[in-house]
């Protein structure tokens, strides 16, 4: 992460103009007065602008190996800019994720993303992209991300209190390999779902302590019909599937090959990593004749053959190293890859269990969140979700998360009074999530209490002001209640935030009695 300054602009490509035919949108990048801007706009058949949205960019994100992204800061929220710069092509193009839709300048930056791309971010809990002021106390990833909090360590040393390992500076090389891997996995291993333990955030993880005390990383078990294919941020799991890792008896880990303090150049990388390979292997280990190895470009490159780069499926113009070390390119997956679940957790793989724990038990509240998110796209997780929710209804009735989930369950099944009871209880227990207020608004409205439902929906939009669905629901609710003046104001406010929305623009034109363009 870097704040955009006139000095930084000297190192960047700051001019671009492109058209996306699928979206019918024009995009521009330009610098002015030491600042960087991006614009999105649309024109009609005569070339007249229908709308234009120009935003000043405040931050550059990325190391530049694959490219650079840009962030805009507005009203204490951070947003991804619609264009990113791609190093491979030397051009600006749609940012990662923008191939799925036109998000304009309103795609919030979430804590799960920014916590791995910056040193000390300050996201506001239970919000969708809101940050404290300033949003970062350390911009770039730095020493504390891997070694622990310096101020806490100094305090512990000054006071003579060495009892709290979470406040101590650690050297990952002196940790068990599992705990050292946990540090890397906090950013370099996503799985299918990452769930915080109750009350925890990214800021609670301390190097040298088990990652699972803060964050559980869970994965849908692969099968032979759908073997593991993802490379992007699946480095640890990919490594565990390699013969090198499985034969090491737990001695191999991320820092076996990587030194975070040393980043070899592209020209230096083959020899640098060859030396790493030779700590376990010899020249005679390779079955390819030396003459053939010398013909490769660069010559005799271990990682070029056994850890080839391939395109990142979710990011355009980008490639990443496959960390599943292959003896041959057609090597099949080990049989163990398809038998990684346990009797206690038969439908998910727990990628970061507490090192040395005899029983790998994932708390029911963690499972509730994991199953709930997975169920949105994987119907097989609906039944486990409802089962654990029923269990928690009895064992954790004072959890706001549980009450919110019960409320949504009853809302979907049409049990409106029960839904209201659960959702109101979630609010009383401290929930400040916009989704809870949105569900409560829907339930009360359907029960014939439109004024109360409107107030709750307005509360939801205040908690998540850049959520287009909530804002559109508010417009629809005002129209249904025949509050046309307020509906007109809500549409005007909506288009100030989401000017690219042609549907609401047409509605506003009709509401004003203006001729259609």
């Amino acid at each position: 992460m870097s704040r955009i300054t006139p000095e930084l602009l000297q190192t960047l490509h700051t001019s671009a103009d492109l058209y996306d035919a699928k979206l019918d949108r024009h995009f521009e990048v330009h610098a002015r007065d030491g600042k960087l801007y991006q614009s999105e706009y649309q024109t009609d058949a005569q070339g007249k602008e229908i709308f234009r949205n120009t935003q000043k960019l405040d931050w550059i994100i990325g190391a530049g190996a694959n490219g650079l992204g840009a962030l805009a800061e507005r009203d204490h929220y951070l947003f991804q800019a619609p264009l990113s710069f791609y190093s491979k092509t030397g051009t600006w193009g749609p940012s990662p994720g923008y191939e799925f839709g036109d998000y304009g300048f309103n795609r919030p930056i979430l804590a799960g993303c920014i916590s791995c791309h910056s040193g000390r971010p300050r996201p506001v809990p239970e919000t969708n992209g809101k940050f404290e002021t300033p949003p970062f106390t350390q911009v770039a990833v730095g020493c504390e991300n891997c070694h622990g909090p310096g101020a806490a360590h100094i305090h512990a040393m000054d006071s003579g209190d060495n009892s709290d390992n979470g406040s101590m500076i650690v050297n990952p090389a002196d940790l068990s390999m599992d705990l050292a891997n946990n540090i890397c996995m906090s950013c370099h291993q996503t799985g299918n779902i990452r769930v915080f333990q109750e009350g925890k955030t990214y800021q609670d993880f301390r190097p040298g302590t088990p990652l699972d005390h803060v964050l559980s990383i869970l994965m849908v078990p692969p099968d032979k019909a759908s073997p593991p294919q993802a490379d992007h941020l699946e480095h640890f799991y990919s490594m565990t599937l390699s013969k090198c890792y499985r034969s090491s008896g737990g001695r191999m880990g991320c820092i076996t090959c990587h030194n975070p303090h040393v980043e070899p150049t592209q020209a230096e990388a083959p020899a640098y990593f060859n030396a790493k390979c030779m700590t376990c292997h010899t020249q005679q280990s390779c079955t390819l004749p030396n003459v053939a190895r010398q013909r490769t470009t660069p010559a005799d490159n271990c990682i070029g053959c056994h850890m080839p780069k391939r395109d990142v499926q979710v990011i355009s113009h980008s490639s990443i190293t496959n960390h599943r070390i292959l003896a041959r390119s057609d090597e099949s997956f080990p049989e163990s890859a398809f038998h990684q679940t346990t009797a206690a957790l038969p439908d998910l793989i727990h990628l970061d269990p507490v090192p040395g724990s005899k029983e790998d038990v994932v708390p029911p509240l963690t499972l509730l969140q994991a199953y709930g998110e997975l169920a949105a796209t994987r119907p097989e997780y609906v039944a486990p979700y409802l089962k654990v929710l029923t269990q928690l209804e009895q064992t954790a009735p004072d959890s706001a998360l549980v009450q919110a989930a019960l409320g949504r369950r009853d809302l979907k099944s049409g049990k409106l009074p029960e839904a209201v009871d659960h959702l109101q209880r979630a609010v009383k227990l401290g929930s400040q999530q916009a989704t809870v207020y949105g569900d409560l608004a829907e339930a009360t409205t359907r029960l014939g209490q439109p004024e109360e439902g409107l107030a709750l929906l307005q509360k939801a939009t205040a908690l998540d002001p850049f959520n287009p669905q909530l804002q559109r629901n508010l417009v629809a609710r005002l129209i249904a209640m025949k509050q046309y003046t307020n509906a007109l104001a809500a549409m005007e406010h909506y288009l100030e935030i989401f000017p690219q929305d042609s549907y609401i623009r047409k509605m506003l034109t009709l509401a004003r009695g203006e001729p259609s363009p």
Side-chain angles (χ1 to χ4, degrees), residues 1 63 72 91 106 118 134 147 266 296 301 304 314 375 401 406 417-418 445 471 500-501:
M1 284 281 293
T91 59
N106 298 292
S118 61
H147 294 285
Q266 185 175 1
T296 63
N301 179 14
V314 294
L401 182 65
L406 291 168
E418 293 87 344
T445 300
Q471 295 280 0
Q500 73 273 22
D501 192 321

Side-chain angles (χ1 to χ4, degrees), residues 132-170:
E132 303 283 358
T133 302
F136 309 99
T137 54
Q138 292 180 17
V139 178
V141 174
C143 305
E144 292 184 325
N145 292 78
C146 297
H147 294 285
H153 175 70
I154 292 170
H155 175 76
M157 293 298 98
D158 286 345
S159 64
D161 180 12
N162 300 339
S163 59
D164 182 8
N165 289 331
S167 68
M168 302 299 291
I169 290 291
V170 299

Side-chain angles (χ1 to χ4, degrees), residues 206-514:
R206 295 290 180 265
T209 63
L211 178 61
D212 192 57
H213 285 175
V214 173
L215 177 72
S216 292
I217 305 176
L218 301 161
M219 179 178 170
V220 175
D223 56 39
K224 293 183 179 179
S226 301
Q229 294 296 331
D231 283 334
H232 186 231
L233 299 183
E234 301 295 335
H235 304 327
F236 172 78
Y237 179 71
S238 297
M239 177 183 67
T240 66
L241 299 179
S242 69
K243 186 175 180 180
C244 289
Y245 178 85
R246 289 179 288 119
S247 300
S248 74
R251 295 188 302 275
M252 182 180 180
C254 305
I255 59 176
T256 301
C257 300
H258 290 285
N259 180 347
H261 302 138
V262 177
E263 180 67 22
T265 65
Q266 185 175 1
E268 296 168 341
Y272 178 86
F273 286 110
N274 277 10
K276 300 290 185 180
C277 297
M278 291 305 150
T279 61
C280 294
H281 301 278
T282 68
Q283 288 289 345
Q284 287 69 41
S285 301
C286 186
T287 59
L288 196 66
N290 186 58
V291 173
R293 297 195 332 240
Q294 296 303 318
R295 292 189 187 129
T296 63
T297 305
D300 200 20
N301 179 14
C302 300
I303 59 172
C305 288
H306 301 289
M307 299 179 68
K309 286 184 177 292
R310 65 182 185 184
D311 289 342
V312 182
Q313 298 172 8
V314 294
I315 303 178
S316 302
H317 313 302
S318 302
S319 60
I320 202 164
T321 299
N322 183 357
H323 280 66
R324 182 183 162 227
I325 309 163
L326 300 173
R328 304 179 315 278
S329 59
D330 61 348
E331 184 178 330
S332 60
F333 285 91
E335 190 65 26
S336 59
F338 309 109
H339 305 281
Q340 294 179 285
T341 59
T342 64
L345 189 62
D347 50 11
L348 289 171
I349 302 172
H350 190 188
L351 293 176
D352 66 330
V354 174
S357 59
K358 293 182 179 179
E359 292 187 17
D360 180 18
V361 178
V362 179
L365 201 59
T366 301
L367 287 177
L368 178 73
Q369 297 172 78
Y371 289 146
E373 189 165 333
L374 290 169
T377 56
R378 296 175 179 269
E380 65 269 26
Y381 286 102
V382 173
Y385 171 76
L386 294 174
K387 181 180 178 180
V388 75
L389 179 57
T390 300
Q391 172 191 342
L392 285 166
E393 186 173 11
Q394 302 302 317
T395 59
D398 293 330
S399 165
L401 182 65
V402 171
Q403 291 299 324
L406 291 168
R408 174 160 288 192
R409 179 199 65 184
D410 290 343
L411 177 62
K412 287 184 175 181
S413 62
K415 298 178 180 179
L416 301 179
E418 293 87 344
V420 169
D421 287 343
H422 287 304
L423 293 165
Q424 287 179 337
R425 191 169 178 183
V427 171
K428 289 179 181 178
L429 288 166
S431 176
Q432 285 295 300
Q433 291 189 325
T435 52
V436 174
Y437 282 91
D439 286 348
L440 190 51
E442 181 182 346
T444 53
T445 300
R446 288 169 60 182
L447 279 171
Q449 303 168 41
E451 293 293 341
E452 184 177 348
L454 176 60
L456 289 164
L457 186 54
Q458 289 170 330
K459 173 69 172 179
T461 58
L463 289 170
D464 194 0
F466 296 97
N467 183 315
Q469 189 58 53
L470 286 175
Q471 295 280 0
R472 287 173 68 138
N473 288 349
L474 179 59
V475 170
R477 176 53 32 204
L478 290 166
I479 292 173
M481 294 174 68
K482 300 183 179 180
Q483 294 188 20
Y484 299 124
T485 301
N486 291 336
L488 186 69
M491 282 189 277
E492 291 171 343
H493 175 69
Y494 177 93
L495 286 173
E496 289 176 3
I497 306 173
F498 310 103
Q500 73 273 22
D501 192 321
S502 59
Y503 176 76
I504 296 295
R505 193 182 308 112
K506 290 176 182 177
M507 285 185 62
L508 182 60
T509 299
L510 291 172
R512 289 171 171 169
E514 299 172 351

Side-chain angles (χ1 to χ4, degrees), residues 53-259:
N53 189 6
T54 299
Q55 297 289 334
K56 180 176 73 72
L57 307 179
D58 298 280
W59 311 90
I60 288 294
I61 186 170
N66 283 307
L68 301 168
L71 308 183
E73 185 177 347
R74 189 165 80 253
D75 298 333
H76 304 293
Y77 285 77
L78 294 181
F79 301 94
Q80 184 179 12
L83 298 183
S84 292
F85 182 81
Y86 294 95
S87 301
K88 185 180 292 186
T89 60
T91 59
W92 291 84
S95 293
Y98 277 73
E99 63 270 23
F100 304 118
D102 181 14
Y103 302 111
F105 292 89
N106 298 292
R107 194 178 190 213
I109 296 296
L110 303 181
C113 297
I114 205 64
S115 293
C116 292
H117 284 281
S118 61
R120 280 284 178 266
R122 304 172 70 204
V124 177
E126 290 195 279
T127 66
N128 192 25
K130 188 175 184 179
F131 286 74
E132 303 283 358
T133 302
F136 309 99
T137 54
Q138 292 180 17
V139 178
V141 174
C143 305
E144 292 184 325
N145 292 78
C146 297
H147 294 285
H153 175 70
I154 292 170
H155 175 76
M157 293 298 98
D158 286 345
S159 64
D161 180 12
N162 300 339
S163 59
D164 182 8
N165 289 331
S167 68
M168 302 299 291
I169 290 291
V170 299
N171 180 352
D174 294 335
L175 299 173
S176 70
M177 190 57 77
D178 286 330
L179 286 176
N181 288 336
N182 274 190
I183 298 172
C184 305
M185 292 172 71
S186 64
C187 286
H188 291 272
Q189 180 60 57
T190 57
N192 290 98
I193 185 75
R194 291 157 66 97
V195 181
F196 285 109
Q197 308 302 349
E198 190 171 14
K200 300 293 186 180
T201 71
Y202 283 101
Q203 284 67 45
D204 291 309
F205 175 59
R206 295 290 180 265
T209 63
L211 178 61
D212 192 57
H213 285 175
V214 173
L215 177 72
S216 292
I217 305 176
L218 301 161
M219 179 178 170
V220 175
D223 56 39
K224 293 183 179 179
S226 301
Q229 294 296 331
D231 283 334
H232 186 231
L233 299 183
E234 301 295 335
H235 304 327
F236 172 78
Y237 179 71
S238 297
M239 177 183 67
T240 66
L241 299 179
S242 69
K243 186 175 180 180
C244 289
Y245 178 85
R246 289 179 288 119
S247 300
S248 74
R251 295 188 302 275
M252 182 180 180
C254 305
I255 59 176
T256 301
C257 300
H258 290 285
N259 180 347

